[in-house]
Amino acid sequence: MASQEGVPLSSIPTGTVVHPSPPVDVENAIDSGDATLKRLFRRYGATWDGPNDPHNPYNWNYPRRLRIAAVVSLGQFLAYMSASMIAPALVDIENELHIDATTSQVVMLITFLGFGIGEFAFAVLAEIFGRRPAWIVGNTWFILWNAIAPSGNSTELLIFARLMAGIGASVNIVLAFPVMQDLFHEEHRGLSIAIVSCLTYTGPALGPILGGIAMRYLRWQWIFWILSIINTGVVIIGYFLLEETYTPSLLRHKRAAQASTTSSTSPLWKPWQSMKAAQEEASLTECLFRPFQLYTTRPIIYVITGLLALDMGVYCVMLSSLAKLWTERYHTSKFTSSLHYIAVAIGATINGQCGSWLMDRIYSVLKRRNKGVGQPEFRVPYLVPGLVLMPAGLVWYGWAAHHVLSWAMVDFGVGIFTLGSFTTAQAVNSYQLDEFKEYSASALAATFLLQNVLGFLMPIWAPKMYEVLGYGWGNSLVALVVVVVGLPMAAVLWFWGAKIRAMGRKEDELENE
């Protein structure tokens, strides 16, 4: 992070010539009295040419922002799909590689552990070099290791390569919401999430369906290769269509451009020079440890992490139990079983499109009542229904499966649970984006770590729980955990969230309000 006094123009790398008079954007910032513009200049040595500067991502036209959102959404969709697409192939993997069911669960779920590790690395890269370079590097890494994973029919290589592929794919997850934050104001947070999630939330559901279709005609190895081929196309599209959206990176480029207008620097050298300046300006050590620093200085991160980890862990338990329910209890084929994930897609889609509008509406009403001042706590009223729908859907799904009722009854419970799960995640992530703003990538990396670790670990012991308790009592136990842990944490955010958020804040973060 740059110092509070900002980085003077004289600190630009040698080889550039700086104008002796202040750039026009500085004069505008000072004359306008706009506190945001002044803060940006103090921190990055440049600022926008007023609140309506067309280079500010907030002022980009709607088609341009939609184009960027579509690329980011497609990348996140493929990342989530890569984690679940091999579910229909697990039996074939077990038979061909001679492994047990627990090991095959590790093969599928190790990707979530990769997500948690990779998000730290790419949060750092994104805050030093910008969103676009980090996105391209991460997806290239994913393509490489995902293609290697099934080679040689080696269990060890498969697990390791899935971990590495998850690390690369994590860039799509950790940057999706921050990119939307770069493009949309807080009042449109729900709209931005709805846009970026129009494909994303169907990934965990469509993955097994597409995997089931592939297994009808191809060997399981082709699931990996098909994903790598598709993602290669997405990276090529992103290379041409995905623009940099991170305000600090854009302002650093602008400062470098201003300083080099009378410089003899070659045009081919200027992009590298700008990236080098960004690296020198941002402390690698500070960026690398910022997610860990949040755990020691910002207590609010524990509440956020707890809610997200609870949500992800329970969601993965539900997905893993659903995979075997239809083949073992309802005796359907692998392809037919995969079609029941449509219930997950329906619940996620309803949340992404309808719930987003409701969240924005609630936020606007509460902001108006608070004399036009928005607060992250205004997301909590939208969070509570999610924490109620989750256990309700779990109990419905569990007892319908216990009594082997119609498939429609089971799927209805799954859809209700999914609606609640994604509502919870949407509300908590919005709260987090509102609070940490331009450092949201680091904050997301911090909270996603425990979230993905639980997503990896909980489904491993879940089969044993269902074996002992059955689907009815097993889901009822999980539902009870959600109620006992989740609702009190929501109450903490509503009644004491503002006080907890204030703990450990730095002066520059207070300016960001």
Side-chain angles (χ1 to χ4, degrees), residues 277-300:
Q279 184 182 12
E280 292 176 350
E281 187 172 308
S283 168
L284 178 61
T285 302
E286 183 179 357
C287 291
L288 182 62
F289 286 99
R290 185 177 293 131
F292 296 101
Q293 187 182 27
L294 292 175
Y295 281 118
T296 60
T297 61
R298 302 297 305 278
I300 191 65

Short mmCIF file of all heavy atoms in Angstrom, two decimals, residues 277-300:
data_model
loop_
_atom_site.label_atom_id
_atom_site.label_comp_id
_atom_site.label_asym_id
_atom_site.label_seq_id
_atom_site.Cartn_x
_atom_site.Cartn_y
_atom_site.Cartn_z
N ALA A 277 6.76 0.09 -12.20
CA ALA A 277 6.46 1.15 -11.23
C ALA A 277 5.44 0.66 -10.21
O ALA A 277 5.54 0.96 -9.01
CB ALA A 277 5.92 2.38 -11.95
N ALA A 278 4.44 -0.10 -10.67
CA ALA A 278 3.44 -0.63 -9.76
C ALA A 278 4.06 -1.58 -8.75
O ALA A 278 3.72 -1.57 -7.57
CB ALA A 278 2.34 -1.34 -10.55
N GLN A 279 4.99 -2.42 -9.24
CA GLN A 279 5.65 -3.36 -8.35
C GLN A 279 6.48 -2.64 -7.30
O GLN A 279 6.51 -3.02 -6.13
CB GLN A 279 6.53 -4.32 -9.15
CG GLN A 279 7.19 -5.41 -8.31
CD GLN A 279 8.08 -6.30 -9.13
OE1 GLN A 279 8.38 -6.00 -10.28
NE2 GLN A 279 8.51 -7.39 -8.54
N GLU A 280 7.20 -1.60 -7.71
CA GLU A 280 8.01 -0.85 -6.77
C GLU A 280 7.15 -0.11 -5.76
O GLU A 280 7.51 0.03 -4.59
CB GLU A 280 8.90 0.14 -7.52
CG GLU A 280 9.99 -0.54 -8.36
CD GLU A 280 10.79 0.47 -9.17
OE1 GLU A 280 10.36 1.63 -9.21
OE2 GLU A 280 11.81 0.09 -9.75
N GLU A 281 6.01 0.36 -6.22
CA GLU A 281 5.14 1.16 -5.37
C GLU A 281 4.42 0.30 -4.34
O GLU A 281 4.20 0.71 -3.21
CB GLU A 281 4.13 1.88 -6.26
CG GLU A 281 3.27 2.89 -5.56
CD GLU A 281 2.46 3.65 -6.58
OE1 GLU A 281 3.03 4.17 -7.54
OE2 GLU A 281 1.23 3.70 -6.41
N ALA A 282 4.02 -0.90 -4.74
CA ALA A 282 3.29 -1.80 -3.85
C ALA A 282 4.28 -2.76 -3.21
O ALA A 282 5.02 -3.44 -3.90
CB ALA A 282 2.23 -2.56 -4.63
N SER A 283 4.30 -2.83 -1.93
CA SER A 283 5.19 -3.74 -1.22
C SER A 283 4.69 -5.17 -1.39
O SER A 283 3.57 -5.49 -1.01
CB SER A 283 5.23 -3.38 0.27
OG SER A 283 5.85 -4.40 1.00
N LEU A 284 5.54 -6.02 -1.97
CA LEU A 284 5.16 -7.41 -2.18
C LEU A 284 4.88 -8.10 -0.86
O LEU A 284 3.90 -8.84 -0.72
CB LEU A 284 6.26 -8.16 -2.94
CG LEU A 284 6.02 -9.65 -3.21
CD1 LEU A 284 4.78 -9.84 -4.06
CD2 LEU A 284 7.24 -10.28 -3.88
N THR A 285 5.71 -7.82 0.13
CA THR A 285 5.53 -8.44 1.44
C THR A 285 4.22 -8.01 2.07
O THR A 285 3.46 -8.82 2.61
CB THR A 285 6.70 -8.07 2.38
OG1 THR A 285 7.92 -8.49 1.77
CG2 THR A 285 6.54 -8.74 3.73
N GLU A 286 3.92 -6.71 1.96
CA GLU A 286 2.69 -6.19 2.55
C GLU A 286 1.47 -6.80 1.87
O GLU A 286 0.51 -7.21 2.53
CB GLU A 286 2.65 -4.67 2.43
CG GLU A 286 1.42 -4.05 3.08
CD GLU A 286 1.42 -2.54 2.98
OE1 GLU A 286 2.40 -1.99 2.46
OE2 GLU A 286 0.44 -1.92 3.43
N CYS A 287 1.49 -6.88 0.54
CA CYS A 287 0.36 -7.45 -0.20
C CYS A 287 0.21 -8.94 0.10
O CYS A 287 -0.91 -9.46 0.23
CB CYS A 287 0.55 -7.24 -1.70
SG CYS A 287 0.39 -5.53 -2.23
N LEU A 288 1.35 -9.64 0.21
CA LEU A 288 1.32 -11.08 0.43
C LEU A 288 0.72 -11.41 1.80
O LEU A 288 -0.05 -12.36 1.94
CB LEU A 288 2.73 -11.66 0.33
CG LEU A 288 2.87 -13.18 0.49
CD1 LEU A 288 2.10 -13.90 -0.61
CD2 LEU A 288 4.32 -13.59 0.48
N PHE A 289 1.05 -10.61 2.79
CA PHE A 289 0.59 -10.90 4.15
C PHE A 289 -0.68 -10.15 4.53
O PHE A 289 -1.14 -10.29 5.66
CB PHE A 289 1.71 -10.59 5.15
CG PHE A 289 2.82 -11.61 5.14
CD1 PHE A 289 3.99 -11.36 4.44
CD2 PHE A 289 2.68 -12.81 5.79
CE1 PHE A 289 5.01 -12.30 4.40
CE2 PHE A 289 3.69 -13.76 5.76
CZ PHE A 289 4.86 -13.51 5.07
N ARG A 290 -1.22 -9.35 3.60
CA ARG A 290 -2.43 -8.60 3.94
C ARG A 290 -3.58 -9.52 4.33
O ARG A 290 -4.29 -9.24 5.31
CB ARG A 290 -2.83 -7.69 2.78
CG ARG A 290 -4.03 -6.81 3.14
CD ARG A 290 -4.37 -5.86 2.00
NE ARG A 290 -3.33 -4.87 1.80
CZ ARG A 290 -2.80 -4.57 0.63
NH1 ARG A 290 -3.20 -5.20 -0.46
NH2 ARG A 290 -1.86 -3.65 0.53
N PRO A 291 -3.84 -10.63 3.60
CA PRO A 291 -4.92 -11.52 4.04
C PRO A 291 -4.70 -12.05 5.46
O PRO A 291 -5.65 -12.14 6.25
CB PRO A 291 -4.90 -12.65 3.01
CG PRO A 291 -4.30 -12.04 1.79
CD PRO A 291 -3.27 -11.08 2.30
N PHE A 292 -3.45 -12.41 5.79
CA PHE A 292 -3.16 -12.89 7.15
C PHE A 292 -3.29 -11.75 8.15
O PHE A 292 -3.74 -11.96 9.29
CB PHE A 292 -1.75 -13.48 7.20
CG PHE A 292 -1.55 -14.69 6.34
CD1 PHE A 292 -0.91 -14.58 5.11
CD2 PHE A 292 -2.02 -15.93 6.73
CE1 PHE A 292 -0.73 -15.69 4.31
CE2 PHE A 292 -1.85 -17.05 5.94
CZ PHE A 292 -1.20 -16.93 4.72
N GLN A 293 -2.88 -10.55 7.73
CA GLN A 293 -2.95 -9.40 8.62
C GLN A 293 -4.39 -9.09 9.02
O GLN A 293 -4.65 -8.65 10.15
CB GLN A 293 -2.32 -8.19 7.94
CG GLN A 293 -2.19 -6.97 8.83
CD GLN A 293 -1.62 -5.78 8.08
OE1 GLN A 293 -1.77 -5.66 6.87
NE2 GLN A 293 -0.95 -4.89 8.80
N LEU A 294 -5.31 -9.35 8.10
CA LEU A 294 -6.71 -9.11 8.42
C LEU A 294 -7.17 -9.96 9.60
O LEU A 294 -8.01 -9.52 10.40
CB LEU A 294 -7.59 -9.41 7.19
CG LEU A 294 -7.42 -8.46 6.00
CD1 LEU A 294 -8.25 -8.93 4.82
CD2 LEU A 294 -7.83 -7.04 6.39
N TYR A 295 -6.63 -11.17 9.72
CA TYR A 295 -7.01 -12.03 10.83
C TYR A 295 -6.51 -11.49 12.17
O TYR A 295 -7.11 -11.76 13.22
CB TYR A 295 -6.45 -13.44 10.63
CG TYR A 295 -7.24 -14.28 9.66
CD1 TYR A 295 -6.68 -14.77 8.49
CD2 TYR A 295 -8.57 -14.62 9.93
CE1 TYR A 295 -7.40 -15.54 7.60
CE2 TYR A 295 -9.30 -15.39 9.05
CZ TYR A 295 -8.71 -15.85 7.89
OH TYR A 295 -9.45 -16.61 7.01
N THR A 296 -5.42 -10.74 12.17
CA THR A 296 -4.85 -10.25 13.42
C THR A 296 -5.30 -8.83 13.76
O THR A 296 -5.16 -8.41 14.91
CB THR A 296 -3.31 -10.28 13.35
OG1 THR A 296 -2.86 -9.46 12.26
CG2 THR A 296 -2.82 -11.70 13.15
N THR A 297 -5.79 -8.09 12.77
CA THR A 297 -6.13 -6.68 13.03
C THR A 297 -7.61 -6.36 12.85
O THR A 297 -8.06 -5.34 13.38
CB THR A 297 -5.32 -5.76 12.09
OG1 THR A 297 -5.65 -6.06 10.73
CG2 THR A 297 -3.83 -5.94 12.31
N ARG A 298 -8.36 -7.18 12.12
CA ARG A 298 -9.75 -6.86 11.83
C ARG A 298 -10.67 -7.98 12.30
O ARG A 298 -10.92 -8.95 11.58
CB ARG A 298 -9.94 -6.63 10.33
CG ARG A 298 -9.08 -5.53 9.73
CD ARG A 298 -9.41 -4.17 10.32
NE ARG A 298 -10.80 -3.84 10.19
CZ ARG A 298 -11.37 -3.34 9.09
NH1 ARG A 298 -10.62 -3.09 8.03
NH2 ARG A 298 -12.65 -3.07 9.04
N PRO A 299 -11.19 -7.91 13.52
CA PRO A 299 -12.03 -8.99 14.06
C PRO A 299 -13.26 -9.30 13.22
O PRO A 299 -13.77 -10.43 13.27
CB PRO A 299 -12.43 -8.45 15.44
CG PRO A 299 -11.39 -7.44 15.79
CD PRO A 299 -10.96 -6.83 14.49
N ILE A 300 -13.74 -8.35 12.44
CA ILE A 300 -14.94 -8.59 11.64
C ILE A 300 -14.73 -9.73 10.66
O ILE A 300 -15.68 -10.41 10.25
CB ILE A 300 -15.36 -7.29 10.88
CG1 ILE A 300 -16.76 -7.44 10.26
CG2 ILE A 300 -14.34 -6.94 9.81
CD1 ILE A 300 -17.85 -7.60 11.27
#
